Amino acid sequence: MNGNEPITILAVGGAGCRIMRILRTLPGAEAMRLLAIDTDRAALEATGLPEADRLLAGELWRGGSGCGGSELDGQRAVAHERTNIESLLRGSRFLLVLCGLGGGTASGGAPVVLSVAAKLKIPNLFIVTLPFMLEGPRRRNLAERVLAENLFDVADAVVALPDDLLFSTLPGDTPLAAAFEMADRECAATALALSAILSAGNLLNADLANFTALLKRRKSLCSIGVGMVRGDEECRAEEVPEKLVSGMLASPLLGGPRVLREADAAVISLLGGSDLSIGDTRNTLELVAKYLPAEAEQLTAASASPDWQGARQLCVLAVKYSEPAPELPARHPVRKRPEAAAAKPAASGGDAEQLVLNLSPVSKGIMERTTPVMWNNEDLDEPTFKRRNVVIDDGRRSSGGTR
Ligand SMILES: Nc1nc2c(ncn2[C@@H]2O[C@H](COP(=O)(O)OP(=O)(O)OP(=O)(O)O)[C@@H](O)[C@H]2O)c(=O)[nH]1
Ligand SMILES: [Mg+2]
């Protein structure tokens, strides 16, 4: 790699394709490699991407008409395209995946895309929307399961955006299609803002390592606010920070200023042209900070690019951790096996810790080049201990006694 490899943004399924249709028209999008995969021919074509950058999956048995909510069909269709996905993604510096969980194609397909990215060792970020409550428990449960079991612990970073946030911001009489369209705009702008953080030219402290550390630490739900000032807008320079922040606070996927006040962490990105000054940057970031708790961790990025000459975009990703802070490990690399500890108290009355055998698979051997055998989103060619995260002790006790 020489640093010139593209950042790839890949849309999966219907919601991903709708977001992509908007994203490709935004400033800065042409610097990214844009791709889409879906089982629905019409949704794929509506992205407006060139044919070579679109993958119609499962055409043979779904006939180009989507998966009708079947996760298994989605997984099968996308897994069938594995080799094509691999060749499209190969050589990417970073992969950003956009999709809505709850339907068939993305719920089944996003984990397959993730396994290809992992195989190619491409750092990745998934921006996923979660279904509205009123879409019913089936979609919601499916989305939450895929998120928890197949994405959170495996992807480098996951930004999960509940579509329900739209309700807390938009008036009740907003037509559903208009609400989705607004959400899609925010998702598209966020995808570009986060890609810009990870591109060359970020002038502040956020980089990929900080970003993934912040999101990987604990399961989280996110919300996003985007404020924009266009180049052709009448706006005095000193009014710009105020305008960006009020636009961001009114964003439909933020859920209002209260969400910022309760955030555990925030990623703040400011995009502008070469006219972006340190004064502008400081004023905008200070204004945003007033809405965040003092103890919230902040990751800030500012990026200047010719695409944004005269214009500004502020994007705030508010992170709320949904599980408590992990306990600090007692004595690395000694790990406790909870089930063993609970079932069999140590005879000596001492602790029952065991040393962990540090196994890491080197290769899948002759299975390396074959189509993976997938079952329940698990690649059966992977050793079971790896798929199930089984901790294997090394046969010795860390403190005294034999078994
Ligand atoms: N933000 C946003 N969410 C959407 C949009 N369309 C659908 N969703 C959400 O995304 C979920 C999945 O819908 P789709 O993306 O259409 O499903 P799919 O992955 O194409 O799966 P199948 O159509 O069943 O093959 C839905 O349950 C909605 O919650 C959209 O335009 N914007
Ligand atoms: Mg679809």
Side-chain angles (χ1 to χ4, degrees):
M1 299 240 171
N2 56 20
N4 295 326
E5 297 81 8
I7 288 184
T8 299
I9 304 184
L10 169 64
V12 185
C17 285
R18 278 189 286 277
I19 298 169
M20 179 58 79
R21 187 171 62 182
I22 297 171
L23 188 148
R24 58 180 275 278
T25 65
L26 297 180
E30 62 289 349
M32 316 284 169
R33 174 118 210 262
L34 305 181
L35 304 170
I37 180 165
D38 199 355
T39 52
D40 181 331
R41 183 184 286 107
L44 205 52
E45 285 173 0
T47 58
L49 293 179
E51 203 173 337
D53 298 333
R54 306 188 307 237
L55 261 183
L56 179 59
E59 189 182 10
L60 219 54
W61 66 93
R62 298 300 318 175
S65 60
C67 287
S70 162
E71 176 198 10
L72 195 60
D73 280 356
Q75 192 235 311
R76 199 197 304 170
V78 177
H80 202 253
E81 296 299 325
R82 235 184 124 87
T83 318
N84 289 329
I85 299 172
E86 248 186 79
S87 34
L88 284 170
L89 297 188
R90 197 176 291 283
S92 302
R93 176 156 46 108
F94 185 80
L95 172 67
L96 193 151
V97 177
L98 292 170
C99 62
L101 295 179
T105 306
S107 306
V112 176
V113 169
L114 176 54
S115 74
V116 174
K119 178 178 174 196
L120 298 176
K121 300 197 169 42
I122 304 174
N124 50 72
L125 161 66
F126 282 65
I127 300 185
V128 304
T129 64
L130 300 178
F132 287 113
M133 284 297 186
L134 54 78
E135 289 186 80
R138 201 193 77 84
R139 279 189 171 243
R140 185 77 189 197
N141 292 343
L142 169 61
E144 282 177 1
R145 179 172 54 73
V146 170
L147 188 62
E149 293 179 8
N150 303 342
L151 296 181
F152 256 132
D153 292 334
V154 200
D156 288 322
V158 179
V159 169
L161 301 165
D163 269 341
D164 277 325
L165 287 172
L166 294 171
F167 286 125
S168 52
T169 323
L170 298 174
D173 57 357
T174 311
L176 202 56
F180 267 146
E181 161 98 19
M182 279 187 243
D184 293 348
R185 286 199 170 278
E186 306 292 298
C187 287
T190 305
L192 277 179
L194 297 180
S195 309
I197 293 182
L198 309 166
S199 315
N202 173 27
L203 308 170
L204 294 176
N205 68 5
D207 66 11
L208 178 61
N210 312 138
F211 184 69
T212 52
L214 190 132
L215 286 171
K216 254 211 117 82
R217 205 171 302 149
R218 277 184 273 162
K219 293 191 175 30
S220 56
L221 282 181
C222 300
S223 51
I224 45 174
V226 181
M228 215 178 288
V229 174
R230 293 191 319 274
D232 57 0
E233 263 178 73
E234 293 279 323
C235 183
R236 293 213 317 275
E238 59 275 22
E239 293 168 354
V240 169
E242 194 86 43
K243 194 152 189 220
L244 287 172
V245 172
S246 56
M248 179 273 291
L249 291 173
S251 258
L253 272 179
L254 183 68
R258 184 187 53 84
V259 172
L260 285 186
R261 281 197 292 273
E262 292 172 2
D264 295 313
V267 182
I268 306 162
S269 116
L270 183 63
L271 302 182
S274 54
D275 54 334
L276 181 67
S277 68
I278 48 168
D280 285 349
T281 310
R282 194 193 51 222
N283 292 344
T284 312
L285 296 180
E286 279 179 2
L287 213 49
V288 175
K290 286 190 185 159
Y291 291 89
L292 292 166
E295 65 282 6
E297 188 172 343
Q298 289 180 35
L299 207 56
T300 45
S303 187
S305 110
D307 299 317
W308 286 92
Q309 199 58 27
R312 298 282 182 275
Q313 181 191 277
L314 168 71
C315 173
V316 178
L317 178 77
V319 181
K320 181 85 193 152
Y321 295 121
S322 52
E323 61 179 21
E327 279 175 37
L328 289 174
R331 262 184 294 154
H332 192 75
V334 177
R335 218 185 291 169
K336 215 170 228 169
R337 287 196 311 175
E339 70 290 4
K344 203 167 53 162
S348 62
D351 69 14
E353 289 168 338
Q354 291 167 339
L355 296 168
V356 174
L357 193 59
N358 196 9
L359 287 173
S360 61
V362 176
S363 143
K364 288 204 281 180
I366 56 167
M367 298 298 171
E368 195 75 72
R369 288 173 183 279
T370 57
T371 307
V373 182
M374 303 297 290
W375 175 252
N376 278 345
N377 279 321
E378 291 185 354
D379 180 349
L380 296 188
D381 297 330
E382 296 273 6
T384 313
F385 80 86
K386 182 156 181 265
R387 281 188 277 123
R388 300 279 153 86
N389 285 330
V390 176
V391 173
I392 300 175
D393 73 69
D394 79 344
R396 291 177 294 140
R397 286 205 176 188
S398 61
S399 53
T402 50
R403 275 164 298 157

